Amino acid sequence: MNETWVTVVGNVATAPDFRETSSGAAVARFRLATTVRRWDRAREAWTDGNTSFYTVWAWRALAANVAASVSVGEPLLVHGMLKVQERQRKEDGDVGGSARRITADIEAVTIGHDLARGTSAFRRVSQAKPVLSAGSGSTSL
Amino acid sequence: MNETWVTVVGNVATAPDFRETSSGAAVARFRLATTVRRWDRAREAWTDGNTSFYTVWAWRALAANVAASVSVGEPLLVHGMLKVQERQRKEDGDVGGSARRITADIEAVTIGHDLARGTSAFRRVSQAKPVLSAGSGSTSL
Amino acid sequence: MNETWVTVVGNVATAPDFRETSSGAAVARFRLATTVRRWDRAREAWTDGNTSFYTVWAWRALAANVAASVSVGEPLLVHGMLKVQERQRKEDGDVGGSARRITADIEAVTIGHDLARGTSAFRRVSQAKPVLSAGSGSTSL
Amino acid sequence: MNETWVTVVGNVATAPDFRETSSGAAVARFRLATTVRRWDRAREAWTDGNTSFYTVWAWRALAANVAASVSVGEPLLVHGMLKVQERQRKEDGDVGGSARRITADIEAVTIGHDLARGTSAFRRVSQAKPVLSAGSGSTSL
């Protein structure tokens, strides 16, 4: 209850870091950057606005497929639950209210390459047998 | 103002129909089906719930890339603006209110293959030169 | 899984119909209309675009509070899960795909009066004791 | 383009700070906290999960109506555009990626009291004449 859902259209800022937890669950993590673009009437052109950054987390099959498919710089859509948390107390006499030491994480439920920017060739992965054998190493792919 | 944004995770139900309008704008249209799945505690398994259907519209580069990348049955995420409109008057003594002759359309701003279900190989398309030459025919691909 | 979340900003088109089901659950239902507005550069004014219609369903405390607070014509935000379902088969030779006999329902998780259009005086309702006594009748209010 | 839309259901953490800018535009700002709740099967009860914090910004009529209607502790829905920005460079040897000094702001387009938690009495404000006379002071209310 009270989940905050977001869909972010942006670019991959760091290579996905794929791991398996000690319990055998696959997890992938990467940074995503999204830049708002506005139409500048005077110049009759799009101009870049603010850039927002998120840490995206993917689990299980999604983690494995992200690790197998996604590279730095590629355009993505990420859909998932947002968490914006203070990790530590305020360090200074912050009055204004909005500047704090926080993290912005998205627990992704689905991710895709942005077809507004290019083409993608999709290959279905059987859900019966997992993509990755947990066998040899924890970060293989 | 007042746009209603949705992100739908579903499957392609009809092959994308790609055209160029008389003014030269590319447009692609397809049907998307999404089925809610619920965890059944008693059976300890996912069960299918209701299926919703949408008509998805893509324009320009997105239309061309969808036509080049998307096939029936593939899992997608579609992000865009929703329109739910009555096309015709009520045909019967509808009292309850929710049954009407309407259409549900999504004006997509971005679409991607669902990496929770498989892998995708992305290839960026230069925005300088359009993907498709409008040359010979209007629905070719 | 696969729920489609929407937030619709619109106006109440029909008075909320409040009932209690035979099992004692409160439910309220009303129609919501939302009209997209676009900035017309030539005229330098907002113009109305398409209007979308939804049937909104609220349950339990939300149902009771909607019945106690919401009137026809008031501006609302509705946040919930969207279902767009075909109730009956196609009646005609519809090839194109988007015209079908369907319903668009929102299972609301929260609803509020739109403070962009006016003020609201809020009064918290204790969750311990239900707003409505189910006492005398099932549709009283 | 590329706006990230969110709808956050939460509670007002700080009293709205209402001002008029030097150009006469009304702006209101407050902190919003939202706590995810999960169903604990073992205990058969809802348990609180993580709490996320946002700084919400409202402008013009919305700002004035928020200032006139919203108090600390009240439950709200906020719908708007999310910005998550790094204000300063990293201060430490942060390798993992998700801990940075950032702010999470929502540019609200609409806000409402949460009818899942209580009732609200709405009063429409004419858009022709502004709610607040800018007369005497810039931060009055």
Side-chain angles (χ1 to χ4, degrees), chain B residues 43-68:
Chain B
R43 293 176 45 220
E44 299 225 325
W46 290 97
T47 57
D48 282 359
N50 293 308
T51 298
S52 294
F53 290 93
Y54 302 90
T55 299
V56 178
W57 300 83
W59 298 88
R60 294 176 291 277
L62 180 59
N65 294 333
V66 161

Side-chain angles (χ1 to χ4, degrees), chain A residues 19 24 33-34 40 52 62-63 70-72 78 82 106 109 113 132 134:
Chain A
R19 294 177 196 219
T34 179
D40 183 332
S52 293
L62 180 59
V70 170
S71 302
V72 170
V78 172
L82 181 70
I106 299 174
V109 294
H113 281 113
L132 298 170

